[in-house]
Amino acid sequence: MPLIVVTTSPRIPPGLLSHQAWQALRSGRVLTASEDHPQLPYLAEAGVEVTVVTPDPHRLAGEAVTETVVWLAGDDERFMRDIGHAAIALDEPPVIEVVPGSYDLPGARVLDLVAVMDRLRAECPWDRKQTHETLVPYLLEEAYEVLETIEQGDYPALREELGDLLLQVVFHARVAADFDMDDVAAGIVDKLVRRHPHVFGSVRADSAEEVNDNWEAIKAAERAAKGEETSLLDGVPLGQPALSLAAQLVRRAERAGVPESLASAVGQGVGRELFELVRRAQEAGVDAEAALRAAARSYRDRVHAWESRES
């Protein structure tokens, strides 16, 4: 006879179980170790009787030899390993079958992050007192740490740094008074679908350039529909590093056909020289910000080498 283990995900609403799980739950005596298992009210409503027992792997494995036993699993991975060891120790071990009642979809762990952030905001004095303004330094710091791991090619560390950056997004969504994380996600989903008609609609785009042109046209149409005055430089964040800012302004302007003469002799002194260097880098297809960062890293390494020789 089998021992059927029904597993469920705490991130899926209770009661939403697979057809195979419902069949298993009606195939034999159902046991669980948790009296507050979230599935219990829904199983009771469906007429499935569940007995809460003290976990005993040897007894459970022995009973499954002579009858079908269904184990409604919870957060008891160690207990399940013990059941496996107990079954193997028997002369005639029962067949152990695992039936997924529900399982996580991609992105489900983000729900855990939202739940943790809710609790921190309610119970942690430091998290509770933060505002959008006080969190800005952490947002910038985490973004630059992501950039650094990418520049270093340290992709194992990138996962952790992306998590730290994601925390800042969830934190800001939790601090907000008039929207939440669902609103944030819904907004970007709607925007991505709207601005990718070649994926989600009937528009055809065969190159990255066509995709970009469609994006800009759709964005301009959206602003016009809102009655907003549009400029080809709208949406360029002035708070970004100066080299990146200059490069993005030049890129936007040149794409729209702005006369090249407008980029001549802007600013004064060093500022004028730097802007001209950025424009020249743009013409050569070079990211001025990345190039200067690479040069700065090279200088850092040379200073470290000099320190080692001098010490």
Side-chain angles (χ1 to χ4, degrees):
M1 303 298 286
L3 168 60
I4 305 175
V5 179
V6 176
T7 62
T8 60
S9 168
R11 302 169 195 89
I12 303 298
L16 296 181
L17 299 174
S18 65
H19 177 66
Q20 186 182 13
W22 281 113
Q23 287 183 313
L25 289 164
R26 291 189 171 99
S27 67
R29 190 159 56 97
V30 182
L31 309 175
T32 189
S34 175
E35 61 183 11
D36 57 355
H37 196 293
Q39 298 290 346
L40 293 185
Y42 300 90
L43 296 181
E45 185 178 351
V48 176
E49 181 179 350
V50 182
T51 303
V52 179
V53 299
T54 301
D56 186 337
H58 297 283
R59 179 177 178 181
L60 186 61
E63 291 176 351
V65 173
T66 58
E67 64 173 314
T68 298
V69 178
V70 182
W71 182 260
L72 180 61
D75 186 16
D76 46 13
E77 291 185 12
R78 180 176 178 179
F79 177 61
M80 297 312 304
R81 289 195 296 270
D82 292 342
I83 290 177
H85 293 315
I88 294 174
L90 296 174
D91 293 335
E92 296 183 11
V95 174
I96 300 179
E97 178 183 358
V98 178
V99 175
S102 59
Y103 47 87
D104 292 341
L105 296 174
R109 295 307 301 268
V110 176
L111 298 176
D112 290 346
L113 178 56
V114 172
V116 168
M117 191 67 251
D118 284 344
R119 184 167 180 181
L120 291 175
R121 186 68 172 168
E123 300 179 21
C124 174
W126 187 90
D127 290 273
R128 190 164 53 237
K129 76 178 215 177
Q130 300 309 308
T131 65
H132 293 302
E133 292 72 21
T134 64
L135 289 172
V136 166
Y138 305 104
L139 176 62
L140 295 174
E141 178 182 340
E142 299 302 349
Y144 280 119
E145 289 185 2
V146 169
L147 174 59
E148 184 174 4
T149 58
I150 293 174
E151 289 178 340
Q152 294 174 344
D154 189 356
Y155 296 117
L158 178 60
R159 179 178 65 177
E160 179 179 351
E161 297 302 341
L162 286 172
D164 292 340
L165 184 58
L166 178 60
L167 169 61
Q168 296 305 309
V169 176
V170 175
F171 208 150
H172 278 279
R174 182 61 182 81
V175 169
D178 54 351
F179 63 85
D180 59 18
M181 191 60 196
D182 284 331
D183 297 318
V184 172
I188 190 59
V189 166
D190 292 344
K191 180 185 291 186
L192 290 173
V193 171
R194 204 167 53 240
R195 296 189 184 177
H196 287 79
H198 56 288
V199 175
F200 301 100
S202 57
V203 173
R204 181 169 179 173
D206 297 321
S207 68
E209 290 74 18
E210 289 180 279
V211 171
N212 189 70
D213 290 343
N214 286 340
W215 179 285
E216 294 298 334
I218 294 169
K219 183 165 63 172
E222 291 170 354
R223 287 177 173 162
K226 295 177 182 177
E228 299 177 356
E229 293 187 9
T230 59
S231 165
L232 58 93
L233 299 181
D234 285 343
V236 176
L238 297 180
Q240 64 182 301
L243 291 181
S244 296
L245 171 61
Q248 189 172 0
L249 291 172
V250 170
R251 185 167 57 249
R252 286 277 195 97
E254 290 183 348
R255 187 186 301 144
V258 170
E260 185 176 329
S261 59
L262 294 184
S264 302
V266 297
Q268 296 179 352
V270 174
R272 175 183 298 183
E273 295 175 16
L274 287 172
F275 193 89
E276 176 60 20
L277 281 174
V278 171
R279 192 185 66 79
R280 285 164 48 193
Q282 191 73 23
E283 289 180 351
V286 174
D287 184 331
E289 179 75 21
L292 182 57
R293 289 178 62 84
R297 288 197 304 275
S298 178
Y299 178 69
R300 176 202 59 190
D301 294 342
R302 295 180 72 175
V303 170
H304 287 169
W306 175 82
E307 289 177 323
S308 298
R309 290 194 304 269
E310 294 296 314
S311 61

